[in-house]
């Protein structure tokens, strides 16, 4: 596999959602080992993962999870949900 350095679509969508939740977010880090992709035949792909964020400079690091629905044809993010 080539070294893809651009952020995956679901990670940038999750980062956008986290920035809406925490407008002053200081850092967002994704844990690549937690990524789980599942796909129903003929349906959207579902990608789940976890990470850590620092909601603001004074806040402690906090854990988050994301659940992302992807269009399997082009990898576009259809919807994303952020959880704790």
């Amino acid at each position: 596999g080539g070294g893809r350095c651009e952020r995956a679509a679901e990670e940038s969508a999750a980062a956008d959602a986290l920035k809406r939740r925490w407008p002053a977010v200081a850092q967002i880090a994704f844990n690549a080992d937690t990524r789980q992709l599942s796909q129903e035949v003929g349906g959207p792909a579902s990608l789940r993962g976890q990470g850590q964020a620092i909601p603001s400079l004074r806040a402690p690091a906090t854990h988050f999870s994301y659940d992302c629905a992807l269009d399997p044809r082009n990898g576009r993010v259809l919807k994303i949900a952020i959880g704790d």
Side-chain angles (χ1 to χ4, degrees), residues 21-72:
R21 178 186 267 203
W22 298 312
V25 67
Q27 188 180 345
I28 298 169
F30 293 92
N31 183 344
D33 296 339
T34 63
R35 283 172 56 139
Q36 286 183 311
L37 182 67
S38 59
Q39 186 178 349
E40 315 225 349
V41 179
S46 163
L47 189 103
R48 292 187 180 86
Q50 295 169 21
Q52 278 201 318
I54 299 173
S56 71
L57 287 171
R58 296 202 176 115
T62 183
H63 184 266
F64 68 87
S65 62
Y66 63 91
D67 190 346
C68 188
L70 300 173
D71 185 328

